[in-house]
Amino acid sequence: MPPSPHGPPPHGRPARRPGRVPDQRSGSGPRPPDRDRLAPPPDSADEHPAEPPDPPSRARTAHPWIAPIALAALLGSLVAVLALTFRGDDFHTAPGALSLRYAIAWTLFAAAAWTVRRLGARQAAVFVLVGGAAVAATGLLAPPRTSTDAYRYAWDGRVQAAGISPYDYAPEDPALASLRDRWLFPKGPACHGPDRAPVRPAPERPKAGRPTPERAAPGRPIPGGPALGGNHPRADPAPDHAHSAPDSAEPQCTRLNRPSVHTIYPPAAEGYFLLVHRSAPSGSTLLPLQTGGALLSVATTAVLLAAARRRRDPRLATARAALWAWCPAVPVEAVNNAHVDALGVLLTVAGLIAVPCRRALGGALLGAATAAKLLPAVALPGALSGVLARATKPGEPHTAARRTTARRTVLEKFRSTGPGRPAPAESPPPPREGAGSPAPAASRIRRAAAVVLPRAAVLRPATSVSRPTVSVNRPTASVNRPTASAVLPVAAAVAVVALGYLPYVLLSRSSVLGYLTGYVAEEGYETGSAAADDKNRYALLRLLHPGPETWALPVVAAVLLAVVGWVLLRGDPQRPWRGALVVTGTAFLLMTPGYPWYALLVVALVALDGRWEWLGVPLAGVAQYVTARAVDDGAWVGTLGYAVACAAVMAGWAVRALRAPRAASASRPPRPPAETARTAKTTGTAETARTAEAADAATPGSPPGSPATRPRRRRARR
């Protein structure tokens, strides 16, 4: 190599080409802090500062095509396994084989959810949406396999279309005999299959000219009146939907569960059933309800993806949406079994996303979710996260607010005292009236407004470093106080539920609660109920003391009140879904329900918050509902499933608690380097040097004007 024309480089310095400045970011050393593009303050972002975004993966940079191909293979395998699961009817004949296919599907889902984190935000969004639609479509391949609730949905829609309130008559009531059709009320050999319940035969047909409740005279409405959809029952011309002959001697049965009791579903669910019945083509059975479940599940995925674009790390939030879109519980329960829980989940997710910005709208959506399925009511405390958080001392903001204020102060001071920027001159004290120049007109108006209305002083900007508390502390303290707007979501939710029930209250002759109280006793949630032992309710409490039927309800209520209080005191109002997940998941672990479709709400909240350890709750429900059928005395299977789910939640909490201090220290804003003071001393003025030394000696997290931010005198070394 020829020698450089500029001579050999000095000792200890690398050689430089003429006219080229070395790039500090191209070396292998640590990257210097970027003072022009600092991270936003923690309170302005959606993510918590203790959860920094994941570092970029090597697979994304070295071989960007590996992750998409692996993810496509995993999603294809998941769709194939789900399709085979729905094509076989093994719930009654081979529950062990069905449990094995469920386990394979959940394993593929976990691998796909982990792989999608290595993609970018846009690429991951395409995979999540397209893969979610393909996974949901597998539930349309067969009729419901593990539940008969969809048959009750279709019956309630048919009853409302005939102008009858669903709360007035039970399905086997002879007054509704004219609405019975062959696919809902089979007869003969079809009554020997599983999930068939016998019904009372229809009464004999009356002679001509004799009106009856089911065949009223012209101009006279049938029971329930025309307000719910018409005067006469809807007759389907299809042969399979022919009405049962009342004079037939063949046994009659129904596919509906609990045909001798009134409906249990809330008004929003009943409106959904009527809408599906009205929009379905004539002669259809359960496919319209399954299609509605698929549309609701895909809509929930779209809402999650739309909300991910506003998060601090869109890539991570988009990957979390896959926890709902690809979860095997969604095509099984929301699509194939067509459970109305999918409607409640969609409204709950939309409500929790809207609560931080529009509290009334979020509360109304949560109320609509409660009116669709009563279970989303347990997520309502999440909308009140942090409403009881008060200032630690009079005039001082909350601890988190103080830290946020201190970080903002350090960031602003760091921006103003960076290298190459002149240090701001200290602001002189404002001139007093009558001494020197008069005060500006705006200042005098502001002072007068502060006397008349003390809160106007909040809007006064700080003119010097020694008085920052007027513009920082007061607004934060006023926000932390519980006001009428804090409970606005609850008021809106209650109003929506009341308005939803009002039409049915006015048009029904029976109670609109239907079989709700009887269902609570049947499922073993009543004090002293014998069904609690048979259905393995309070499974985890049963491990502590046998026979929890007499004392479980007070314990569950006390624990839930404590958890709700913690959410109200320590919850994050910008992330209400976290408080909703904690309350909902705790309720599941305490009450251990046996129906896995209830846990669809937990899956959606996990997709919002990212606490994947709570996915053990829906898995425990599957073990108690499906796997327990494969063994004798399978109560221990559900108990073991919920115990493992509880252990996973506790382990996840412990790991996150240990990682929180490290993540918090990593998320602190960078301090000005020590070279700033030395550079200022040699190249700038004495005032610039003193300002740089003060910035270097400032303690991060201290408000301006405090002793920690004042310049420190350095002792001369002797």
Side-chain angles (χ1 to χ4, degrees):
M1 174 181 291
S4 174
H6 299 279
H11 179 70
R13 292 186 180 180
R16 295 191 304 176
R17 296 180 181 180
R20 184 175 180 181
V21 180
D23 190 3
Q24 298 179 357
R25 299 186 180 182
S26 60
S28 59
R31 180 177 176 178
D34 192 354
R35 297 178 178 85
D36 296 330
R37 301 175 59 187
L38 293 174
D43 61 340
S44 64
D46 188 58
E47 297 291 335
H48 197 271
E51 297 179 2
D54 293 345
S57 174
R58 294 182 179 179
R60 253 193 342 266
T61 56
H63 303 287
W65 50 270
I66 294 181
I69 293 179
L71 183 57
L74 290 172
L75 288 179
S77 303
L78 177 60
V79 170
V81 170
L82 290 173
L84 293 176
T85 302
F86 294 128
R87 297 300 297 177
D89 190 6
D90 298 333
F91 181 62
H92 298 282
T93 59
L98 181 61
S99 301
L100 179 60
R101 283 194 285 270
Y102 278 176
I104 297 174
W106 276 86
T107 303
L108 293 172
F109 158 66
W114 179 262
T115 307
V116 75
R117 297 166 63 94
R118 299 179 178 272
L119 302 181
R122 294 184 178 179
Q123 195 175 17
V126 174
F127 270 94
V128 169
L129 189 59
V130 176
V135 168
T138 59
L140 305 175
L141 299 178
R145 293 305 191 188
T146 59
S147 175
T148 59
D149 288 349
Y151 295 98
R152 189 60 179 257
Y153 302 165
W155 172 255
D156 284 356
R158 177 182 294 273
V159 169
Q160 293 180 92
I164 306 173
S165 173
Y167 301 104
D168 285 344
Y169 295 94
E172 71 170 9
D173 198 307
L176 304 180
S178 61
L179 299 179
R180 298 179 183 178
D181 48 23
R182 191 66 58 83
W183 74 280
L184 285 176
F185 291 83
K187 62 179 181 178
C191 292
H192 299 293
D195 294 330
R196 305 291 195 274
V199 295
R200 292 179 292 176
E204 296 183 0
R205 289 187 177 180
K207 297 180 181 180
R210 181 184 176 185
T212 60
E214 58 272 7
R215 288 189 181 272
R220 179 183 176 185
I222 62 176
L228 293 179
N231 291 333
H232 300 283
R234 173 183 173 183
D236 291 320
D240 295 340
H241 293 68
H243 297 154
S244 301
D247 54 352
S248 176
E250 294 180 338
Q252 297 182 11
C253 62
T254 180
R255 295 176 181 269
L256 279 66
N257 51 23
R258 303 178 183 89
S260 60
V261 300
H262 297 181
T263 186
I264 192 179
Y265 299 104
E270 295 293 341
Y272 170 71
F273 303 153
L274 178 60
L275 176 63
V276 173
H277 181 82
R278 287 294 189 185
S279 59
S282 178
S284 59
T285 55
L286 294 182
L287 186 59
L289 286 169
Q290 292 178 326
T291 305
L295 294 177
L296 290 174
S297 62
V298 175
T300 304
T301 303
V303 171
L304 291 172
L305 292 176
R309 300 177 60 184
R310 298 183 299 172
R311 306 284 287 272
R312 181 178 181 180
D313 190 355
R315 182 185 64 83
L316 184 59
T318 303
R320 290 173 178 175
L323 298 177
W324 163 265
W326 304 340
C327 182
V330 175
V332 173
E333 306 300 346
V335 184
N336 184 254
N337 292 329
H339 283 291
V340 74
D341 299 67
L343 176 61
V345 167
L346 173 61
L347 295 173
T348 303
V349 169
L352 291 176
I353 292 175
V355 158
C357 300
R358 301 180 179 178
R359 302 186 66 82
L361 176 61
L365 291 173
L366 291 175
T370 306
K373 194 69 180 285
L374 299 178
L375 182 61
V378 297
L380 193 58
L384 305 179
S385 298
V387 297
L388 298 182
R390 293 179 177 271
T392 54
K393 293 181 181 180
E396 291 187 2
H398 194 263
T399 305
R402 289 201 304 270
R403 293 177 180 175
T404 302
T405 302
R407 289 174 182 173
R408 281 181 173 178
T409 304
V410 173
L411 288 174
E412 293 175 359
K413 195 170 186 179
F414 189 26
R415 291 191 183 100
S416 61
T417 58
R421 299 183 182 181
E426 295 186 1
S427 303
R432 295 177 298 177
E433 298 183 3
S437 60
S443 178
R444 287 179 289 177
I445 295 176
R446 194 180 300 113
R447 291 178 184 177
V451 174
V452 178
L453 185 63
R455 289 186 179 272
V458 175
L459 304 177
R460 181 178 57 191
T463 56
S464 62
V465 181
S466 61
R467 294 187 301 171
T469 56
V470 176
S471 61
V472 175
N473 290 346
R474 287 188 180 180
T476 307
S478 62
V479 170
N480 288 336
R481 294 169 184 163
T483 59
S485 62
V487 295
L488 187 59
V490 177
V494 173
V496 169
V497 173
L499 291 176
Y501 270 106
L502 183 60
Y504 290 94
V505 170
L506 298 177
L507 300 174
S508 302
R509 296 181 298 176
S510 300
S511 173
V512 294
L513 297 180
Y515 187 59
L516 180 60
T517 55
Y519 179 80
V520 172
E522 178 186 333
E523 291 299 316
Y525 292 120
E526 196 176 43
T527 303
S529 176
D533 191 11
D534 299 336
K535 295 181 176 293
N536 197 28
R537 300 297 179 257
Y538 313 115
L540 298 183
L541 297 180
R542 201 179 301 275
L543 297 176
L544 303 177
H545 190 277
E549 294 83 6
T550 57
W551 54 269
L553 281 181
V555 173
V556 170
V559 175
L560 287 180
L561 285 177
V563 174
V564 169
W566 182 85
V567 170
L568 299 182
L569 287 171
R570 305 294 300 274
D572 189 352
Q574 297 299 321
R575 289 178 298 176
W577 46 82
R578 173 159 299 178
L581 176 60
V582 172
V583 177
T584 306
T586 303
F588 271 81
L589 293 177
L590 292 175
M591 307 186 75
T592 62
Y595 298 132
W597 52 87
Y598 289 172
L600 287 175
L601 180 60
V602 177
V603 176
L605 294 177
V606 169
L608 273 173
D609 191 48
R611 296 294 190 265
W612 55 266
E613 61 268 15
W614 286 99
L615 289 177
V617 173
L619 274 175
V622 173
Q624 184 162 329
Y625 186 71
V626 179
T627 311
R629 295 173 175 265
V631 297
D632 297 334
D633 191 15
W636 63 270
V637 178
T639 303
L640 179 62
Y642 276 106
V644 173
C646 183
V649 171
M650 299 301 295
W653 174 80
V655 170
R656 296 178 190 278
L658 292 176
R659 293 175 56 184
R662 185 184 307 173
S665 60
S667 63
R668 291 177 180 175
R671 295 180 59 183
E675 288 78 10
T676 305
R678 292 193 294 267
T679 305
K681 289 178 181 179
T682 57
T683 61
T685 60
E687 185 68 24
T688 305
R690 286 196 300 269
T691 306
E693 290 178 2
D696 191 17
T699 303
S702 302
S706 62
T709 58
R710 296 174 182 173
R712 299 179 181 177
R713 297 181 179 179
R714 298 183 179 180
R715 298 180 179 179
R717 296 182 180 180
R718 298 180 179 179

mmCIF file with all atom_site columns, all heavy atoms in Angstrom, residues 668-684:
data_model
loop_
_atom_site.group_PDB
_atom_site.id
_atom_site.type_symbol
_atom_site.label_atom_id
_atom_site.label_alt_id
_atom_site.label_comp_id
_atom_site.label_asym_id
_atom_site.label_entity_id
_atom_site.label_seq_id
_atom_site.pdbx_PDB_ins_code
_atom_site.Cartn_x
_atom_site.Cartn_y
_atom_site.Cartn_z
_atom_site.occupancy
_atom_site.B_iso_or_equiv
_atom_site.pdbx_formal_charge
_atom_site.auth_seq_id
_atom_site.auth_comp_id
_atom_site.auth_asym_id
_atom_site.auth_atom_id
_atom_site.pdbx_PDB_model_num
ATOM 1   N N   . ARG A 1 668 ? -34.409 3.384  30.806 1.00 0.00 ? 668 ARG A N   1
ATOM 2   C CA  . ARG A 1 668 ? -34.161 4.751  31.246 1.00 0.00 ? 668 ARG A CA  1
ATOM 3   C C   . ARG A 1 668 ? -33.501 5.551  30.132 1.00 0.00 ? 668 ARG A C   1
ATOM 4   O O   . ARG A 1 668 ? -32.739 5.018  29.335 1.00 0.00 ? 668 ARG A O   1
ATOM 5   C CB  . ARG A 1 668 ? -33.261 4.760  32.481 1.00 0.00 ? 668 ARG A CB  1
ATOM 6   C CG  . ARG A 1 668 ? -33.941 4.201  33.722 1.00 0.00 ? 668 ARG A CG  1
ATOM 7   C CD  . ARG A 1 668 ? -32.972 4.182  34.885 1.00 0.00 ? 668 ARG A CD  1
ATOM 8   N NE  . ARG A 1 668 ? -33.607 3.646  36.077 1.00 0.00 ? 668 ARG A NE  1
ATOM 9   C CZ  . ARG A 1 668 ? -32.969 3.414  37.221 1.00 0.00 ? 668 ARG A CZ  1
ATOM 10  N NH1 . ARG A 1 668 ? -31.674 3.698  37.319 1.00 0.00 ? 668 ARG A NH1 1
ATOM 11  N NH2 . ARG A 1 668 ? -33.608 2.914  38.252 1.00 0.00 ? 668 ARG A NH2 1
ATOM 12  N N   . PRO A 1 669 ? -33.773 6.841  30.052 1.00 0.00 ? 669 PRO A N   1
ATOM 13  C CA  . PRO A 1 669 ? -33.154 7.657  28.997 1.00 0.00 ? 669 PRO A CA  1
ATOM 14  C C   . PRO A 1 669 ? -31.652 7.756  29.216 1.00 0.00 ? 669 PRO A C   1
ATOM 15  O O   . PRO A 1 669 ? -31.168 7.749  30.358 1.00 0.00 ? 669 PRO A O   1
ATOM 16  C CB  . PRO A 1 669 ? -33.838 9.013  29.153 1.00 0.00 ? 669 PRO A CB  1
ATOM 17  C CG  . PRO A 1 669 ? -34.338 9.040  30.562 1.00 0.00 ? 669 PRO A CG  1
ATOM 18  C CD  . PRO A 1 669 ? -34.693 7.624  30.895 1.00 0.00 ? 669 PRO A CD  1
ATOM 19  N N   . PRO A 1 670 ? -30.867 7.825  28.149 1.00 0.00 ? 670 PRO A N   1
ATOM 20  C CA  . PRO A 1 670 ? -29.404 7.886  28.291 1.00 0.00 ? 670 PRO A CA  1
ATOM 21  C C   . PRO A 1 670 ? -28.971 9.203  28.908 1.00 0.00 ? 670 PRO A C   1
ATOM 22  O O   . PRO A 1 670 ? -29.516 10.260 28.601 1.00 0.00 ? 670 PRO A O   1
ATOM 23  C CB  . PRO A 1 670 ? -28.900 7.747  26.849 1.00 0.00 ? 670 PRO A CB  1
ATOM 24  C CG  . PRO A 1 670 ? -30.038 8.242  26.010 1.00 0.00 ? 670 PRO A CG  1
ATOM 25  C CD  . PRO A 1 670 ? -31.291 7.851  26.744 1.00 0.00 ? 670 PRO A CD  1
ATOM 26  N N   . ARG A 1 671 ? -27.978 9.105  29.789 1.00 0.00 ? 671 ARG A N   1
ATOM 27  C CA  . ARG A 1 671 ? -27.427 10.300 30.419 1.00 0.00 ? 671 ARG A CA  1
ATOM 28  C C   . ARG A 1 671 ? -26.420 10.953 29.487 1.00 0.00 ? 671 ARG A C   1
ATOM 29  O O   . ARG A 1 671 ? -25.774 10.301 28.671 1.00 0.00 ? 671 ARG A O   1
ATOM 30  C CB  . ARG A 1 671 ? -26.750 9.940  31.737 1.00 0.00 ? 671 ARG A CB  1
ATOM 31  C CG  . ARG A 1 671 ? -27.708 9.407  32.773 1.00 0.00 ? 671 ARG A CG  1
ATOM 32  C CD  . ARG A 1 671 ? -26.972 9.085  34.049 1.00 0.00 ? 671 ARG A CD  1
ATOM 33  N NE  . ARG A 1 671 ? -26.310 10.271 34.584 1.00 0.00 ? 671 ARG A NE  1
ATOM 34  C CZ  . ARG A 1 671 ? -25.543 10.262 35.659 1.00 0.00 ? 671 ARG A CZ  1
ATOM 35  N NH1 . ARG A 1 671 ? -25.339 9.141  36.310 1.00 0.00 ? 671 ARG A NH1 1
ATOM 36  N NH2 . ARG A 1 671 ? -24.995 11.374 36.084 1.00 0.00 ? 671 ARG A NH2 1
ATOM 37  N N   . PRO A 1 672 ? -26.229 12.257 29.581 1.00 0.00 ? 672 PRO A N   1
ATOM 38  C CA  . PRO A 1 672 ? -25.217 12.924 28.745 1.00 0.00 ? 672 PRO A CA  1
ATOM 39  C C   . PRO A 1 672 ? -23.837 12.369 29.048 1.00 0.00 ? 672 PRO A C   1
ATOM 40  O O   . PRO A 1 672 ? -23.483 12.136 30.209 1.00 0.00 ? 672 PRO A O   1
ATOM 41  C CB  . PRO A 1 672 ? -25.326 14.397 29.157 1.00 0.00 ? 672 PRO A CB  1
ATOM 42  C CG  . PRO A 1 672 ? -26.680 14.520 29.785 1.00 0.00 ? 672 PRO A CG  1
ATOM 43  C CD  . PRO A 1 672 ? -26.951 13.199 30.424 1.00 0.00 ? 672 PRO A CD  1
ATOM 44  N N   . PRO A 1 673 ? -23.041 12.101 28.035 1.00 0.00 ? 673 PRO A N   1
ATOM 45  C CA  . PRO A 1 673 ? -21.699 11.560 28.288 1.00 0.00 ? 673 PRO A CA  1
ATOM 46  C C   . PRO A 1 673 ? -20.804 12.575 28.974 1.00 0.00 ? 673 PRO A C   1
ATOM 47  O O   . PRO A 1 673 ? -21.040 13.783 28.935 1.00 0.00 ? 673 PRO A O   1
ATOM 48  C CB  . PRO A 1 673 ? -21.196 11.220 26.871 1.00 0.00 ? 673 PRO A CB  1
ATOM 49  C CG  . PRO A 1 673 ? -21.967 12.135 25.975 1.00 0.00 ? 673 PRO A CG  1
ATOM 50  C CD  . PRO A 1 673 ? -23.324 12.290 26.615 1.00 0.00 ? 673 PRO A CD  1
ATOM 51  N N   . ALA A 1 674 ? -19.779 12.032 29.602 1.00 0.00 ? 674 ALA A N   1
ATOM 52  C CA  . ALA A 1 674 ? -18.846 12.897 30.335 1.00 0.00 ? 674 ALA A CA  1
ATOM 53  C C   . ALA A 1 674 ? -18.040 13.782 29.399 1.00 0.00 ? 674 ALA A C   1
ATOM 54  O O   . ALA A 1 674 ? -17.535 14.827 29.801 1.00 0.00 ? 674 ALA A O   1
ATOM 55  C CB  . ALA A 1 674 ? -17.897 12.047 31.186 1.00 0.00 ? 674 ALA A CB  1
ATOM 56  N N   . GLU A 1 675 ? -17.936 13.345 28.102 1.00 0.00 ? 675 GLU A N   1
ATOM 57  C CA  . GLU A 1 675 ? -17.162 14.175 27.184 1.00 0.00 ? 675 GLU A CA  1
ATOM 58  C C   . GLU A 1 675 ? -17.826 15.512 26.922 1.00 0.00 ? 675 GLU A C   1
ATOM 59  O O   . GLU A 1 675 ? -17.176 16.444 26.444 1.00 0.00 ? 675 GLU A O   1
ATOM 60  C CB  . GLU A 1 675 ? -16.978 13.436 25.854 1.00 0.00 ? 675 GLU A CB  1
ATOM 61  C CG  . GLU A 1 675 ? -15.998 12.263 25.940 1.00 0.00 ? 675 GLU A CG  1
ATOM 62  C CD  . GLU A 1 675 ? -16.672 11.064 26.576 1.00 0.00 ? 675 GLU A CD  1
ATOM 63  O OE1 . GLU A 1 675 ? -17.913 11.135 26.746 1.00 0.00 ? 675 GLU A OE1 1
ATOM 64  O OE2 . GLU A 1 675 ? -15.994 10.091 26.896 1.00 0.00 ? 675 GLU A OE2 1
ATOM 65  N N   . THR A 1 676 ? -19.119 15.641 27.217 1.00 0.00 ? 676 THR A N   1
ATOM 66  C CA  . THR A 1 676 ? -19.805 16.901 26.959 1.00 0.00 ? 676 THR A CA  1
ATOM 67  C C   . THR A 1 676 ? -19.198 18.024 27.795 1.00 0.00 ? 676 THR A C   1
ATOM 68  O O   . THR A 1 676 ? -18.980 19.135 27.319 1.00 0.00 ? 676 THR A O   1
ATOM 69  C CB  . THR A 1 676 ? -21.296 16.748 27.262 1.00 0.00 ? 676 THR A CB  1
ATOM 70  O OG1 . THR A 1 676 ? -21.805 15.663 26.503 1.00 0.00 ? 676 THR A OG1 1
ATOM 71  C CG2 . THR A 1 676 ? -22.052 18.016 26.925 1.00 0.00 ? 676 THR A CG2 1
ATOM 72  N N   . ALA A 1 677 ? -18.946 17.726 29.069 1.00 0.00 ? 677 ALA A N   1
ATOM 73  C CA  . ALA A 1 677 ? -18.372 18.752 29.942 1.00 0.00 ? 677 ALA A CA  1
ATOM 74  C C   . ALA A 1 677 ? -16.962 19.131 29.512 1.00 0.00 ? 677 ALA A C   1
ATOM 75  O O   . ALA A 1 677 ? -16.595 20.301 29.493 1.00 0.00 ? 677 ALA A O   1
ATOM 76  C CB  . ALA A 1 677 ? -18.381 18.260 31.389 1.00 0.00 ? 677 ALA A CB  1
ATOM 77  N N   . ARG A 1 678 ? -16.150 18.105 29.157 1.00 0.00 ? 678 ARG A N   1
ATOM 78  C CA  . ARG A 1 678 ? -14.777 18.422 28.747 1.00 0.00 ? 678 ARG A CA  1
ATOM 79  C C   . ARG A 1 678 ? -14.754 19.216 27.441 1.00 0.00 ? 678 ARG A C   1
ATOM 80  O O   . ARG A 1 678 ? -13.962 20.142 27.278 1.00 0.00 ? 678 ARG A O   1
ATOM 81  C CB  . ARG A 1 678 ? -13.988 17.126 28.608 1.00 0.00 ? 678 ARG A CB  1
ATOM 82  C CG  . ARG A 1 678 ? -13.746 16.430 29.943 1.00 0.00 ? 678 ARG A CG  1
ATOM 83  C CD  . ARG A 1 678 ? -12.688 15.345 29.780 1.00 0.00 ? 678 ARG A CD  1
ATOM 84  N NE  . ARG A 1 678 ? -13.164 14.268 28.908 1.00 0.00 ? 678 ARG A NE  1
ATOM 85  C CZ  . ARG A 1 678 ? -13.767 13.167 29.364 1.00 0.00 ? 678 ARG A CZ  1
ATOM 86  N NH1 . ARG A 1 678 ? -13.963 13.011 30.676 1.00 0.00 ? 678 ARG A NH1 1
ATOM 87  N NH2 . ARG A 1 678 ? -14.161 12.253 28.526 1.00 0.00 ? 678 ARG A NH2 1
ATOM 88  N N   . THR A 1 679 ? -15.645 18.858 26.508 1.00 0.00 ? 679 THR A N   1
ATOM 89  C CA  . THR A 1 679 ? -15.691 19.597 25.248 1.00 0.00 ? 679 THR A CA  1
ATOM 90  C C   . THR A 1 679 ? -16.129 21.033 25.469 1.00 0.00 ? 679 THR A C   1
ATOM 91  O O   . THR A 1 679 ? -15.609 21.973 24.878 1.00 0.00 ? 679 THR A O   1
ATOM 92  C CB  . THR A 1 679 ? -16.647 18.897 24.272 1.00 0.00 ? 679 THR A CB  1
ATOM 93  O OG1 . THR A 1 679 ? -16.229 17.550 24.124 1.00 0.00 ? 679 THR A OG1 1
ATOM 94  C CG2 . THR A 1 679 ? -16.650 19.592 22.921 1.00 0.00 ? 679 THR A CG2 1
ATOM 95  N N   . ALA A 1 680 ? -17.092 21.189 26.363 1.00 0.00 ? 680 ALA A N   1
ATOM 96  C CA  . ALA A 1 680 ? -17.572 22.541 26.624 1.00 0.00 ? 680 ALA A CA  1
ATOM 97  C C   . ALA A 1 680 ? -16.509 23.384 27.306 1.00 0.00 ? 680 ALA A C   1
ATOM 98  O O   . ALA A 1 680 ? -16.419 24.591 27.091 1.00 0.00 ? 680 ALA A O   1
ATOM 99  C CB  . ALA A 1 680 ? -18.836 22.491 27.483 1.00 0.00 ? 680 ALA A CB  1
ATOM 100 N N   . LYS A 1 681 ? -15.682 22.757 28.154 1.00 0.00 ? 681 LYS A N   1
ATOM 101 C CA  . LYS A 1 681 ? -14.657 23.519 28.860 1.00 0.00 ? 681 LYS A CA  1
ATOM 102 C C   . LYS A 1 681 ? -13.586 24.014 27.904 1.00 0.00 ? 681 LYS A C   1
ATOM 103 O O   . LYS A 1 681 ? -13.007 25.077 28.093 1.00 0.00 ? 681 LYS A O   1
ATOM 104 C CB  . LYS A 1 681 ? -14.020 22.647 29.945 1.00 0.00 ? 681 LYS A CB  1
ATOM 105 C CG  . LYS A 1 681 ? -14.956 22.380 31.109 1.00 0.00 ? 681 LYS A CG  1
ATOM 106 C CD  . LYS A 1 681 ? -14.291 21.468 32.134 1.00 0.00 ? 681 LYS A CD  1
ATOM 107 C CE  . LYS A 1 681 ? -15.228 21.172 33.297 1.00 0.00 ? 681 LYS A CE  1
ATOM 108 N NZ  . LYS A 1 681 ? -14.603 20.275 34.289 1.00 0.00 ? 681 LYS A NZ  1
ATOM 109 N N   . THR A 1 682 ? -13.299 23.205 26.861 1.00 0.00 ? 682 THR A N   1
ATOM 110 C CA  . THR A 1 682 ? -12.204 23.561 25.970 1.00 0.00 ? 682 THR A CA  1
ATOM 111 C C   . THR A 1 682 ? -12.646 24.416 24.790 1.00 0.00 ? 682 THR A C   1
ATOM 112 O O   . THR A 1 682 ? -11.873 25.229 24.293 1.00 0.00 ? 682 THR A O   1
ATOM 113 C CB  . THR A 1 682 ? -11.531 22.286 25.437 1.00 0.00 ? 682 THR A CB  1
ATOM 114 O OG1 . THR A 1 682 ? -12.537 21.494 24.795 1.00 0.00 ? 682 THR A OG1 1
ATOM 115 C CG2 . THR A 1 682 ? -10.909 21.509 26.576 1.00 0.00 ? 682 THR A CG2 1
ATOM 116 N N   . THR A 1 683 ? -13.862 24.234 24.334 1.00 0.00 ? 683 THR A N   1
ATOM 117 C CA  . THR A 1 683 ? -14.303 24.933 23.125 1.00 0.00 ? 683 THR A CA  1
ATOM 118 C C   . THR A 1 683 ? -15.378 25.961 23.369 1.00 0.00 ? 683 THR A C   1
ATOM 119 O O   . THR A 1 683 ? -15.618 26.799 22.512 1.00 0.00 ? 683 THR A O   1
ATOM 120 C CB  . THR A 1 683 ? -14.828 23.911 22.096 1.00 0.00 ? 683 THR A CB  1
ATOM 121 O OG1 . THR A 1 683 ? -15.949 23.221 22.663 1.00 0.00 ? 683 THR A OG1 1
ATOM 122 C CG2 . THR A 1 683 ? -13.749 22.902 21.747 1.00 0.00 ? 683 THR A CG2 1
ATOM 123 N N   . GLY A 1 684 ? -16.083 25.920 24.465 1.00 0.00 ? 684 GLY A N   1
ATOM 124 C CA  . GLY A 1 684 ? -17.194 26.829 24.697 1.00 0.00 ? 684 GLY A CA  1
ATOM 125 C C   . GLY A 1 684 ? -16.898 27.808 25.798 1.00 0.00 ? 684 GLY A C   1
ATOM 126 O O   . GLY A 1 684 ? -15.780 27.964 26.262 1.00 0.00 ? 684 GLY A O   1
#
